Amino acid sequence: MPPKNASGSSTGRSRKRKTDAQTESSEEPPISDDVNSPPPAKKPRGPKSAKGKGNESTVLPVNWPEYFDYVFVRQSVEGLLKHFIYALPPALTPEATRKLINKRNERFIQAVNELLEATSKHEDPASLLREAARDHIPVNPNVRISTDPAQSDSKGNERRIPEPADRPTIDAVIEEIHSQEWYQDQIVDRRIVEAKDGDIDYLEPALSKTIAQALQSSRNITSLYTHQVMAISALSQGKNVIVSTSTASGKSVIYQVPLLRFLEEDPHSTAMFIYPTKALAQDQKLALEQLLYSCPGLENVKVSTYDGDTPQELRAGVRETASVIFTNFDMLHASILPHEDLWRRFLKNLKLVAVDELHYYSNVFGSHVAQVMRRFRRVCAAVGNSRSRFVSCSATIAKPKQHMVDIFGIEDVVEVTEDGAPSGRKDYLIWNAPLLDPMDASSGRRSSMSEATRLMRFLMARGIRVILFCKIRKVCELAMKALRAELTADGRLDILDRVMAYRGGMCELIDRRKIEKEAFSGNLLGIVATNALELGVDIGVLDAVIMLGFPIGGIASFRQQAGRAGRRARDALAVFVAESYPIDQHFVNNPSELFDKPMKDLIIELDSKVIIEAHLQCAAHEMPVTLEDEKYFGPTLKDLCETSLIRDEDGWYHTHPKFLPFPAKHISLRGAEEEKYSVIDVTKVDNPGGQAFILEEVEISRALFEIYEGGIFIHQGLTFIVKEVSHDSKTAKLVRTDVNWITQPRDFTNIDAVQTYRIREIKGSPFRAFYGRVELKTVVYAIIDAVDLDTPPWERESTGMWMDVPKPILELMRDSGINPAEAIHAAEHAFLNRFALAMDLKTECKVAEKEYKTKASQRKRPARLIFYEPTGKGEGIAVKAFDHVSDILRDAHDAVESCQCEEGCAACIDSLSCKEGNLVSSKTGALIVLKAILGHPIDVDLIPEYPPEISNLPSTVVQAPAVRTAPGVEVEEA
């Protein structure tokens, strides 16, 4: 056990200890620095006596729009939400107010008509008005006006965004940041990676003159780097290749040059390029088309996209005429392989298969992809093509050759890891928001989003092209909303016009493609994105990356996102803006881990009978399976064929009828397909010629929390109010509105074990682990405890495993002042941190707001460590954890006990994927729970004494009830 703290304070996290009792005792509402939260209500000035007058007169508000926003909007909302209200006596009677508004409306209409009459047909009145407005847009009074041309008023110094070639150096920009009034030592760590020269080599045999000419004219490439030469040479010798080098090292040339060689040798050759995202495929397709157009003799080679956005009426043309297709594994699985008879021309002539960003495919998704590749190779062999060569590129990963062997099922792989590409200088900054009160560390920190958006505005004003990475879609939209408000307040509409949000789930194909085109062409100055742009999309001369919060994908994602800047050998900047969560603060205090810690191995599950059997049903539908197919599907083939497929009299195995007519529909490579709500903008429906249109489609797992009547929905940083929701038709109608506040619902999710299918001993322990059916129920019930929501619960089933905390241990923790919710939550994270496939297994994360309330909660949760498969598909991940439960528990115990941290870190009890930020956590409690389940002795004298206010919090955890066991279940030996 960890030693007892000298102060006797909790080994749980002290920063969470402020209870709602303390909040309730405050006379003033708490002040929030979050740019996305409404500013705190301020008591307005009442009637004042006018100097020099014999009587009193009311001083009218100077800024009428703000006045009406306060009186009629903010006070109504805050009253509705039970915030503090300060009544303001009206300065005008209602009748006088209406007359004033009508008079100003009439003058506005008159001014618009005068502008339209004075505008020639060659001019755009809206553009003229926008340009003229820049001198008159109100500026945020809290922002200090700079005399720098990039920030100055247009009177005297014209505001101008520097051209890319004229932008300052990153070193100069960092020096300028240090001199800003708002800078308060946010930079806690700075590292510089100096520029390096490239190493070139020469191909033997050399490239043809036409290919060399195409490379020079389309890409300005006159020589090849060493890693490019090594990979292209291996492919020309008939070998398969994996290239794992840094971002922007020219990996795309490695499969484009061999393709051109194949096409010159045989014009009937075909190739398939597989990408994980549509944005990446769109970028690389354009690059290949430019290269082919520049190559004499290959100008007419047809290159086509074949993905979910390809219209049905165009797909036959792609199959029949395309020489190169850009696709993804979802289409290969669900469209190409099931109709292999329609693709035989293409497959017979297939010379090259390129899979980019191979590191993207791991865990359950990667395990499915591995089986799709085996089905694909089997079909190619059946049509007489065993000559296809496979090439894959990836960011720097651990054991790239082994990962390619696992995914492709092939052995003859050449690994290329020596990077010969040049790189520019790059500065890495770790940025931590300053404390609200520098004299009080418990006061909390300023909003990390405010810090990130301010830094982004500062960089863009200096001509530095920036991408801001956010972890989830909602944060992406909130950041875009903040930028829109801040740039408008600063009068920088010239910058705002060149900033857009890019994220997955955008509904309109045209909108998404427009953003991609703007990004690729370099027209955008700023992009706010989720990890949809984390991969190697070439979005022009990108100078800086800002990461808002530590990426969910861990250190690998951190390095991948940081690599998005400086892709063309210029100096670049990567900034990690830490949030207040423990995982972020861990890397603030240990920044070297971000750069020096080795990558984890990528995990592929190749012996999961659940996954293999599902793909065997698909393979048998493509063409009957024989026992000789063991070379593709492994040693479990015979058993799976005999138990799950249908054997005919000739010994061929066919798809089981329950999966017909389309077995591929029963497998979703990326997890369960959720129902979606259509979000419809009806703002202009009542106007002449106005129409409703779909803004986007939202998965039900998001819709419950973002779409409810009266709520604020954000799209491209613009706010909409939800007018109507139909849960039957899965539609939501929205109206555009300009507000400076957002809404946040109250919700909870219960994960409950309902039936036991298997029971297993835990080695050396009297306790057991259980596997079975799990029910999940999500309820969204109110907005800020004031407005009840009539939202149906979201109920679904899955499979999972669980372990109960013994009753004596539960009592021991209560008697010792240890919060059981903290202990169980931390122990669950510790277990997942030692499980290789943890990315595809979830747990019930504890919410700080509930666990630390002084008022007793009616929602008591069982004292149980529970884990479930979020897809609900029964992929076999929970079974894998259950089968190895003793080893995982022991590894988790050892990791927590040996870790040198005080309150917990990513190496022991913190989880990168904890949606509640790891706030409810206790390292001591986790160790007690793990020891108890393992049957290890617990020395009670080593348990720290906790402050009374902590131990006296109402308990939210009760003894776990027994779970119904299915008939015939016996206890399995450890």
Side-chain angles (χ1 to χ4, degrees), residues 36-68:
N36 303 299
S37 301
K42 296 181 180 180
K43 191 169 183 178
R45 298 170 63 184
K48 294 182 67 176
S49 176
K51 266 192 174 182
K53 301 288 182 182
N55 57 356
E56 292 188 348
S57 63
T58 301
V59 177
L60 302 182
V62 176
N63 191 323
W64 276 101
E66 289 186 5
Y67 170 76
F68 284 116

Side-chain angles (χ1 to χ4, degrees), residues 790-820:
D790 185 20
T791 302
W794 181 32
E795 298 176 313
R796 59 266 192 217
E797 287 189 355
S798 185
T799 53
M801 62 156 295
W802 60 91
M803 296 160 283
D804 293 342
V805 177
K807 182 179 178 181
I809 300 303
L810 193 60
E811 295 172 349
L812 170 64
M813 288 191 289
R814 286 174 179 157
D815 293 342
S816 303
I818 295 175
N819 188 321

Side-chain angles (χ1 to χ4, degrees), residues 456 467-468 470 472-481 483-484 496-504 506 511-512 514-516 519 524 526-530 532-533 696 714-718:
M456 186 175 182
I467 184 168
L468 171 61
C470 304
I472 59 176
R473 295 174 182 177
K474 186 170 184 179
V475 173
C476 179
E477 288 292 3
L478 289 173
M480 186 65 207
K481 178 179 182 293
L483 284 169
R484 187 178 295 278
L496 181 58
D497 288 342
R498 298 175 62 185
V499 182
M500 297 187 80
Y502 184 100
R503 55 180 174 76
M506 302 183 73
D511 288 346
R512 189 171 67 242
K514 176 185 176 182
I515 296 172
E516 291 170 6
L524 289 184
I527 304 172
V528 183
T530 57
L533 282 179
E696 59 180 280
I714 307 176
H715 177 83
Q716 281 293 326
L718 301 174

Side-chain angles (χ1 to χ4, degrees), residues 30 63 131 137 213 274 300 435 460 479 497 519 527 558 642 662 730 737 851 910:
N63 191 323
E131 185 66 28
I137 293 175
Q213 174 186 327
I274 301 174
N300 298 319
L435 293 169
M460 290 190 297
D497 288 342
I527 304 172
F558 169 84
E642 292 177 350
F662 200 67
K730 299 290 188 295
T737 183
E851 303 302 337
D910 284 350

